[in-house]
Amino acid sequence: MPYRIRPDRDLSAEVRSVARHQLSIAIAVLSDRPDGLHEAIHEARKKFKRVRGLLRLVADADKSFQTRENERLRDIARSLSRIRDATALMETVTHLTGFALNDDESETLAATRTVLQLRRDDIAASETDLEDKVARVIDECRSAITALDELDLPSKAGPAARLLAKGWRKALKRGHEALHTCKGEGHGEAFHDLRKAAQTYWMNLSLLRELWPSAFAAKRREAKHLVDLLGREHDLTVLTELFDSEPDLFGDGEGQAFLLAIIIRRQQDLRREALALAGSIFADRPRREADVIEILWTAAAIGETSGRS
């Protein structure tokens, strides 16, 4: 089942079906592990993000349900995050290798990746309860699927359209606020907030793609590109934080200087590109876009109903 909700069907049924499908995939991948346990954890955590995004879009219909289930999914994702975060740092250094300017920088990055791989392996070895964590996550996924029976959303076109428009507007407002902060203070947390807002926007565009397939496809591509840029930027922020907290991991002073220079240079480039793209993506006012969503959903729902009668 695609990650989308259709206006010609009952909203509650659609949201439940999408959420159950995503959680079922997470259970299957954590159980079967076709590409290994660590890749399974990565894939499951992506499914949790999608369900959380879906529930945020319709949160105003039942805020207590959304809060409870959001916390459940957030907590189980965090319980599996340590080894994935360590692997992401290795991938970040691999990414940086393509931007080395000379042999000294290339050698520094190769040494850094070796150190981070050893660190990842040590973390993996220390997580002796990882299988127990995975088993608990699978149990929580099943509980989350059962809990979806409690979700009650508007069934009529007008109220459903207003609910979705409100969720859309709130999400876009967070994107505008994050972009404003990035242009001002420009600290790492602000760019992380902008990434989360872009990710939410991409998910919302995916969920409502059938309202305007051609326009939403183009917007989804832009939003996904922004998410990728800001994901790289955030990984560099995390690498810098590790450098600050455990500098001895990264060799002597010369090697550290080379590494910091590469990180700063690449991070600045990513931020410039991301800000330019985000300015285009979040150009329209949140209320204006939300009004369009409400109109499109209502028209599609009424049109489909009329066509069937």
Side-chain angles (χ1 to χ4, degrees):
M1 177 179 185
Y3 184 68
R4 68 181 179 192
I5 50 179
R6 296 178 54 174
D8 60 320
R9 299 181 180 178
D10 179 76
L11 182 59
S12 292
E14 280 289 278
V15 170
R16 289 193 203 108
S17 293
V18 172
R20 284 172 181 148
H21 183 65
Q22 295 294 312
L23 291 170
S24 295
I25 293 175
I27 291 172
V29 76
L30 288 172
S31 300
D32 300 337
R33 308 171 189 179
D35 299 311
L37 176 57
H38 300 311
E39 186 60 29
I41 289 172
H42 182 46
E43 288 301 313
R45 292 179 74 213
K46 289 194 289 187
K47 303 308 178 190
F48 301 151
K49 285 182 181 179
R50 289 190 178 193
V51 178
R52 292 176 69 193
L54 170 63
L55 296 180
R56 277 196 300 270
L57 182 60
V58 297
D60 273 46
D62 190 340
K63 291 183 179 180
S64 62
F65 177 89
Q66 191 275 337
T67 298
R68 185 188 74 224
E69 294 307 308
N70 178 65
E71 289 177 353
R72 183 206 301 270
L73 295 171
R74 180 201 63 199
D75 290 346
I76 63 175
R78 283 180 179 173
S79 73
L80 299 176
S81 66
R82 192 165 177 240
I83 186 65
R84 175 58 206 165
D85 292 345
T87 303
L89 288 177
M90 292 168 49
E91 295 170 352
T92 299
V93 173
T94 300
H95 167 76
L96 287 174
T97 301
F99 298 91
L101 297 181
N102 51 53
D103 289 343
D104 287 332
E105 290 188 350
S106 295
E107 290 172 5
T108 296
L109 289 170
T112 300
R113 194 183 190 286
T114 297
V115 167
L116 292 176
Q117 183 171 350
L118 291 171
R119 177 178 177 270
R120 193 277 310 271
D121 293 344
D122 286 343
I123 290 173
S126 69
E127 285 205 293
T128 55
D129 62 342
L130 185 56
E131 289 291 349
D132 291 337
K133 288 179 180 178
V134 170
R136 287 194 293 270
V137 166
I138 290 173
D139 286 343
E140 285 294 330
C141 286
R142 292 183 176 131
S143 296
I145 289 174
T146 300
L148 288 165
D149 291 337
E150 304 171 26
L151 185 61
D152 186 22
L153 303 176
S155 58
K156 294 184 178 179
R162 288 191 291 274
L163 173 65
L164 294 168
K166 191 170 185 178
W168 193 280
R169 185 181 73 249
K170 285 185 174 182
L172 272 183
K173 186 178 179 182
R174 287 191 290 270
H176 278 255
E177 290 171 349
L179 178 57
H180 178 74
T181 304
C182 287
K183 289 180 176 178
E185 300 173 20
H187 53 76
E189 191 60 33
F191 281 91
H192 186 43
D193 289 341
L194 183 60
R195 180 199 178 199
K196 290 188 288 187
Q199 201 163 41
T200 297
Y201 192 45
W202 175 84
M203 288 188 286
N204 288 346
L205 287 163
S206 298
L207 287 166
L208 301 188
R209 71 184 77 174
E210 293 198 0
L211 295 183
W212 194 350
S214 57
F216 280 22
K219 282 179 170 286
R220 284 169 60 206
R221 285 192 296 271
E222 288 188 339
K224 184 62 170 64
H225 184 42
L226 179 58
V227 170
D228 291 341
L229 290 174
L230 291 169
R232 291 292 186 192
E233 191 282 334
H234 179 65
D235 289 341
L236 290 172
T237 296
V238 175
L239 182 58
T240 302
E241 290 171 351
L242 179 63
F243 183 94
D244 291 339
S245 63
E246 301 181 47
D248 292 344
L249 280 174
F250 300 95
D252 58 22
E254 185 178 41
Q256 291 178 1
F258 280 130
L259 180 60
L260 276 179
I262 302 166
I263 291 173
I264 292 170
R265 186 173 68 238
R266 182 59 184 146
Q267 193 167 48
Q268 288 175 340
D269 288 344
L270 285 166
R271 288 183 176 184
R272 279 193 292 268
E273 187 176 354
L275 286 176
L277 182 56
S280 172
I281 289 173
F282 295 116
D284 291 334
R285 296 191 307 275
R287 181 169 291 280
R288 180 182 177 185
E289 273 205 35
D291 288 344
V292 171
I293 293 299
E294 182 175 350
I295 291 168
L296 289 174
W297 183 275
T298 303
I302 293 175
E304 292 289 346
T305 300
S306 299
R308 292 197 305 271
S309 61

